[in-house]
Amino acid sequence: MKTFYRDFVFEVSDDVYSPREDSFLIADSFELKGSEKVLDLGTGSGILAIIAASKGCEVTAADINPEAVKYAKKNAERNQVSIEVIESNLFENIPGDFDIILFNLPYLKITEEPEKAIDLSYNSPGTIEGFLREYKEHLKPGGRAIVVSSSLSGIKPESLGKIIARQKLPFEEIFVVELE
């Protein structure tokens, strides 16, 4: 499946989260200086990592899904940017500190246990809590984390930090939040 965003092209299999409204909203919301060190957790197709790299940032992209790692690498090559892509469950395999951490959180509440790796893109028990516990340890002084949340998550986005963008969709509202 191919997705287009601005001048970028992303291709993924059915086993990888394809860029859509939440990906585009966060991509349109964060500002970069071009010299920052960026971590894109749960990279999926690599859209946020590739955008950051195209602006001159040093980027590490990570995903728990091996298929996502494979497609993020392919999409970086397709879009002619250099990023480091690694398989990692949250910060498990992430070295160093970052100026910016981006994370399109798996925010849908689903009662069943995920059956396939792609399901972790939507519902990953304990991931939000784990991220909130650890992200500050991986930020440089003055660094920031930017996440996507949803009205379907059961978490009030204003309890996470400052809402910097929002979009109403037919069945939910998505938010981009800069964590405090």
Side-chain angles (χ1 to χ4, degrees), residues 9-64:
V9 178
F10 302 93
E11 188 169 349
V12 296
S13 71
D14 290 340
D15 294 323
V16 178
Y17 190 78
S18 179
R20 54 194 74 158
E21 294 89 354
D22 51 357
S23 308
F24 304 144
L25 184 63
I26 192 171
D28 290 338
S29 302
F30 64 87
E31 294 181 25
L32 300 167
K33 296 176 186 157
S35 59
E36 288 130 331
K37 190 172 176 188
V38 176
L39 172 62
D40 177 22
L41 275 181
T43 197
S45 67
I47 183 172
L48 302 178
I50 290 164
I51 290 168
S54 75
K55 296 184 183 237
C57 294
E58 177 187 339
V59 180
T60 301
D63 205 293
I64 193 171

Side-chain angles (χ1 to χ4, degrees), residues 5 12 23 26-27 41 43 71 81 106 114 124 127 131 141 152:
Y5 174 79
V12 296
S23 308
I26 192 171
L41 275 181
T43 197
Y71 276 93
V81 298
S124 186
T127 298
F131 174 79
L152 301 176

Side-chain angles (χ1 to χ4, degrees), residues 90-105:
L90 290 175
F91 297 99
E92 187 174 79
N93 300 320
I94 307 293
D97 295 331
F98 300 87
D99 297 298
I100 299 173
I101 299 173
L102 305 168
F103 193 16
N104 190 345
L105 296 166

Side-chain angles (χ1 to χ4, degrees), residues 23 54 61 63 69 73 76 85 89 91 128 137 141 151 165:
S23 308
S54 75
D63 205 293
V69 169
K73 287 177 182 177
V85 187
N89 182 3
F91 297 99
I128 294 172
E137 297 171 22
S151 57

Side-chain angles (χ1 to χ4, degrees), residues 75-137:
N75 286 323
E77 288 175 20
R78 174 179 288 112
N79 289 285
Q80 301 176 338
V81 298
S82 176
I83 61 175
E84 179 183 9
V85 187
I86 57 177
E87 187 175 332
S88 184
N89 182 3
L90 290 175
F91 297 99
E92 187 174 79
N93 300 320
I94 307 293
D97 295 331
F98 300 87
D99 297 298
I100 299 173
I101 299 173
L102 305 168
F103 193 16
N104 190 345
L105 296 166
Y107 54 72
L108 298 181
K109 288 193 168 228
I110 300 172
T111 55
E112 309 89 47
E113 282 296 313
E115 292 179 17
K116 300 183 286 185
I118 182 67
D119 296 338
L120 295 171
S121 302
Y122 308 103
N123 174 44
S124 186
T127 298
I128 294 172
E129 298 81 3
F131 174 79
L132 293 174
R133 254 191 328 272
E134 293 184 55
Y135 80 92
K136 289 181 182 177
E137 297 171 22

